[in-house]
Amino acid sequence: MKKISRRAPRPAGEAADSEAGRYKKLYSMLLDASPSSVLLIDSQMRVVSANRNFLEKAHRSEVETVGQRIDAVFPPAIAQQMDLTGLVRAAFEHNRPTRGERIAYRAPGLATRTYYYRLIPFSWQGAIEHVMLLLEDVTEQVRLGEENRRVERHLASVVESASDIVLSTTVDGRILTWNAAAERISGFTLSEVDTRTFFDLCAEPHRARARRGFETVKRGKGFGVAEWDLVTKSGALVPVSWVGSVMKNDRARVVAVVAVGRDLTERRKFEAHLLQSQKLAALGLLAGGIAHEIRNPLSIASSAAQFLSEEPEDPEFRRECTAKILTGIQRASRIIENLLHFARPAGQPDMVRVDLVRIVRDAAMLAATQAGIQQVNMEFELPDDPVLVSGVPGLLQQLFINLFLNALGAMPGGGSLRATLDRAGAEVRVRITDTGCGIPASEIERIFDPFYTTRPMGKGTGLGLSICYSIVRQHFGVIDGESVEGRGSTFTVKLPLLNEGVVGE
Amino acid sequence: MIRNGAADILIVDDEPDICWALTHILKGMGIVPVTTTSGREALRLARSQRFALAFVDAKLPDLDGLDLARRIREGDAAVRIVLVSGYFYRDDAEVRQAMAAGLITDFVSKPIPHEEIQAIASGVVSR
């Protein structure tokens, strides 16, 4: 600015000219800087001006271009395809800009390029002076757009052809997308669920848990792995294992939740078979102890009957014999009852209110028969009042019988087995400690793997602890094992205490 | 034949009613046995007095029956030891081995047939 003020004053006419010149310069600078081609065409179809971009793209000089008819400037294929002269004429006639159009052109020996073009009439004081032709090479944008759509289609087909449910929701759980597997498994189409939330689709007992899972989403973390049943359109329940992760935008803000769900129906069937076979294997281990346990009361009853058959004279002794027979039979039948209870398939794995103290005590009763013949001293520290959890009684009993039998299996030469049950915060903790052979530190990582066993062939299936693990998981609990080789092992099961306030959750 | 008051038969079973049954069988023969429900107590008794016959339960909570038999035998080579069990069968390998080794002289399975006990006891009594 200071430079200008220092210039010598100029005559008025020159000043106006120089002002116009200044605008012209600015105008041509702007035009030349534009990444689009800009042409001005007069009503005679002649080029009035062409910007740098056009000249470069067309490989023409300004002299070869300005003043030329447009059909001489453009390759005939383009001019014809666009009907350029027709368009220019129409723009002059109607004084209306055309809508943007696209044209694909392939110069000889080059790849096809796509251009976007638009004609805009320029009028000055009521007369249309020129038509401006804007031409932009959008080949790259088109290519990127197509590439994007191709990737999108590809990803969509991956999602669609997945056998697992893949869905996305808002942060509040409202369903956004829903793949074919989701439709197949649930019976609902996207339009039937897009006004609903993910929690609405979860079965009643799991709904509150799913809702809590989504709380972590708001903190920017996925809900991890969870097993929540899905209610289908027909009202049936499908067990589903979910993995939830969050989708973030460029500013790391959570914008959606992606949930992938696997239908566990088949796996549950398989697990049920596995549980039953493992149970039968556990029964095999219990059989010796049970035979011993049942034959004692049978023997007492039998002896009493043999005495009675000799018709003893002493009425007191006769009464004693009768009482022994009745007690013996009752004892034997109680053992059989407990055994049958355990042997029976779990049936519907419905979660009910369960007193864990009773479960542990019943399991201990079955295991005690085996402990007795192994000179294992069993010690229990159980609360007198019930400790309630939500669970499948048959499975929990199998869990503790497995743990007791494992402990006994580690003490073939006798020892002691100690079980304690206590409440710790919102959980109940059961610790089972043995003084057995222990597990080498190198193997402790593998103890919950299926078929891991230290026992000789035919003595164990190697399924016990892996089944314990799956039972505990199914009850939203944790199991871990600590061991010192040669000293013994401790297994701890932690299960969430039943919160009476939310029984129906 | 019967030494009056001589309790030379020992019964060891952790189940008191099995002791009751065996005692009554023997009482019918005029014998008053010594009974205990503990393996260790049985061992102590066997060391403090001589028994002609011992009925030993195969599975005691504090001591294995065969182990107890071995330890009684160590102190008295002549005692006849009868293994009584609801756990083993007569043809179980462990029972056969123990019989072959002379560790036990007989085996009775539960439920106990009274005539088997009577036959074994009368063999001792009439000796």
Side-chain angles (χ1 to χ4, degrees):
Chain A
M1 295 302 263
K2 279 179 184 167
K3 274 180 192 164
I4 293 169
S5 68
R6 254 188 253 129
R7 271 179 193 159
R10 278 170 295 194
E14 201 192 323
D17 279 356
S18 109
E19 198 65 7
R22 205 173 138 209
Y23 278 114
K24 199 171 172 187
K25 190 182 173 193
L26 184 63
Y27 159 80
S28 65
M29 208 179 102
L30 280 173
L31 279 181
D32 285 345
S34 163
S36 306
S37 294
V38 184
L39 289 180
L40 277 184
I41 301 159
D42 67 12
S43 57
Q44 302 306 301
M45 304 292 151
R46 284 179 201 283
V47 175
V48 177
S49 81
N51 75 339
R52 184 180 294 161
N53 183 279
F54 178 81
L55 296 174
E56 273 172 9
K57 284 278 168 69
H59 303 287
R60 300 175 78 94
S61 68
E62 194 166 1
V63 181
E64 288 169 320
T65 312
V66 174
Q68 299 291 318
R69 282 184 59 87
I70 46 169
D71 37 14
V73 168
F74 275 87
I78 291 193
Q80 275 166 27
Q81 202 186 329
M82 281 168 71
D83 185 20
L84 191 52
T85 49
L87 287 172
V88 174
R89 198 171 293 126
F92 272 108
E93 270 170 33
H94 306 300
N95 191 19
R96 255 207 316 265
T98 63
R99 282 190 310 189
E101 298 277 351
R102 267 189 196 170
I103 184 169
Y105 171 65
R106 183 174 177 175
L110 295 172
T112 305
R113 304 208 66 87
T114 308
Y115 296 94
Y116 167 88
Y117 65 91
R118 199 165 179 222
L119 290 115
I120 304 155
F122 171 71
S123 56
W124 181 250
Q125 294 175 344
I128 303 168
E129 286 185 358
H130 302 121
V131 167
M132 183 165 67
L133 171 61
L134 278 171
L135 197 64
E136 198 172 340
D137 185 342
V138 291
T139 312
E140 200 55 19
Q141 286 97 308
V142 169
R143 196 188 63 75
L144 282 176
E146 269 167 12
E147 178 66 17
N148 264 346
R149 276 194 294 281
R150 197 188 63 75
V151 170
E152 241 168 55
R153 271 199 306 275
H154 180 80
L155 288 178
S157 83
V158 168
V159 169
E160 276 307 288
S161 55
S163 60
D164 287 346
I165 297 175
V166 181
L167 59 84
S168 62
T169 73
T170 61
V171 177
D172 300 318
R174 202 167 54 75
I175 305 282
L176 292 174
T177 66
W178 187 252
N179 72 343
E183 193 170 322
R184 175 173 51 78
I185 293 166
S186 72
F188 291 115
T189 61
L190 177 60
S191 60
E192 288 171 306
V193 292
D194 66 358
T195 52
R196 304 175 64 184
T197 65
F198 178 77
F199 328 114
D200 292 337
L201 301 167
C202 289
E204 182 58 50
H206 301 146
R207 200 166 288 163
R209 281 205 173 85
R211 225 178 263 281
R212 279 203 296 277
F214 267 68
E215 289 298 311
T216 66
V217 165
K218 288 180 182 150
R219 294 195 295 271
K221 276 171 67 183
F223 57 72
V225 183
E227 285 182 15
W228 300 323
D229 291 357
L230 184 78
V231 187
T232 68
K233 193 174 182 178
S234 63
L237 295 183
V238 178
V240 177
S241 162
W242 297 99
V243 180
S245 45
V246 293
M247 200 192 276
K248 292 181 178 174
N249 66 9
D250 293 341
R251 274 165 290 161
R253 234 184 61 131
V254 178
V255 287
V257 179
V258 177
V260 177
R262 176 157 293 179
D263 181 348
L264 297 179
T265 311
E266 286 305 310
R267 210 177 89 191
R268 282 283 155 80
K269 277 188 204 159
F270 171 72
E271 278 174 358
H273 283 297
L274 199 62
L275 275 170
Q276 190 57 18
S277 11
Q278 196 274 334
K279 197 186 263 188
L280 294 177
L283 276 175
L285 291 176
L286 286 169
I290 285 158
H292 174 76
E293 198 69 11
I294 288 178
R295 283 161 91 189
N296 264 340
L298 282 184
S299 190
I300 295 160
S302 157
S303 284
Q306 290 176 69
F307 291 136
L308 284 179
S309 73
E310 287 158 15
E311 296 175 0
E313 276 168 27
D314 180 2
E316 187 50 44
F317 183 60
R318 284 204 304 270
R319 267 197 295 279
E320 200 181 357
C321 285
T322 313
K324 299 261 188 230
I325 290 172
L326 292 175
T327 326
I329 290 171
Q330 273 164 13
R331 260 180 64 190
S333 81
R334 205 163 47 237
I335 295 159
I336 291 167
E337 204 180 288
N338 203 346
L339 192 66
L340 280 179
H341 197 72
F342 176 59
R344 197 171 295 147
Q348 275 300 309
D350 286 335
M351 296 280 228
V352 293
R353 281 171 85 220
V354 185
D355 174 12
L356 204 64
V357 178
R358 210 190 140 159
I359 294 277
V360 173
R361 199 171 279 143
D362 283 355
M365 197 197 280
L366 278 176
T369 62
Q370 181 65 28
I373 61 174
Q374 262 183 241
Q375 286 89 50
V376 169
N377 174 42
M378 283 178 97
E379 239 183 276
F380 290 90
E381 213 173 280
L382 306 175
D384 295 331
D385 50 329
V387 174
L388 298 177
V389 297
S390 168
V392 184
L395 291 182
L396 291 174
Q397 196 187 20
Q398 188 168 2
L399 162 69
F400 291 110
I401 284 179
N402 279 340
L403 291 175
F404 288 147
L405 284 178
N406 269 350
L408 293 173
M411 301 182 282
S416 89
L417 189 163
R418 194 177 144 76
T420 62
L421 187 154
D422 54 23
R423 294 184 186 83
E427 326 182 290
V428 49
R429 194 174 55 182
V430 184
R431 289 166 70 88
I432 294 160
T433 304
D434 65 60
T435 57
C437 56
I439 303 154
S442 57
E443 292 187 20
I444 196 113
E445 298 286 321
R446 293 171 46 225
I447 55 172
F448 294 112
D449 292 354
F451 307 113
Y452 169 80
T453 182
T454 53
R455 300 199 192 135
M457 201 71 161
K459 292 280 182 175
T461 57
L463 287 173
L465 278 179
S466 85
I467 277 170
C468 289
Y469 180 79
S470 97
I471 293 173
V472 172
R473 275 281 309 274
Q474 213 177 315
H475 287 80
F476 307 102
V478 183
I479 178 168
D480 50 62
E482 297 159 58
S483 191
V484 178
E485 201 176 356
R487 297 270 298 278
S489 311
T490 297
F491 281 87
T492 308
V493 173
K494 289 180 199 158
L495 297 174
L497 272 172
L498 185 68
N499 183 345
E500 289 288 12
V502 285
V503 171
E505 84 171 26
Chain B
M1 272 195 336
I2 300 162
R3 283 150 294 189
N4 202 21
D8 61 355
I9 294 184
L10 174 68
I11 295 169
V12 49
D13 198 306
D14 62 316
E15 178 59 60
D17 283 344
I18 295 286
C19 295
W20 167 85
L22 289 172
T23 303
H24 274 282
I25 300 167
L26 297 175
K27 262 190 184 164
M29 299 170 73
I31 305 166
V32 181
V34 173
T35 67
T36 174
T37 56
S38 145
R40 295 192 192 285
E41 174 64 11
L43 199 57
R44 199 191 57 77
L45 286 166
R47 284 182 183 156
S48 61
Q49 64 187 98
R50 290 187 74 86
F51 289 105
L53 178 62
F55 290 101
V56 174
D57 182 20
K59 296 288 171 188
L60 293 161
D62 60 341
L63 218 64
D64 184 78
L66 286 173
D67 206 26
L68 175 62
R70 195 169 295 116
R71 291 166 76 172
I72 293 174
R73 170 77 65 234
E74 276 167 14
D76 184 353
V79 61
R80 296 172 66 92
I81 302 174
V82 179
L83 193 71
V84 182
S85 177
Y87 181 73
F88 289 124
Y89 291 94
R90 181 177 282 277
D91 56 357
D92 270 336
E94 277 172 281
V95 174
R96 285 211 305 243
Q97 271 169 24
M99 293 249 255
L103 184 59
I104 57 171
T105 37
D106 224 325
F107 174 83
V108 175
S109 74
K110 291 175 185 171
I112 301 163
H114 290 189
E115 63 278 9
E116 281 187 25
I117 301 295
Q118 285 158 348
I120 292 164
S122 64
V124 178
V125 168
S126 59
R127 199 170 44 177

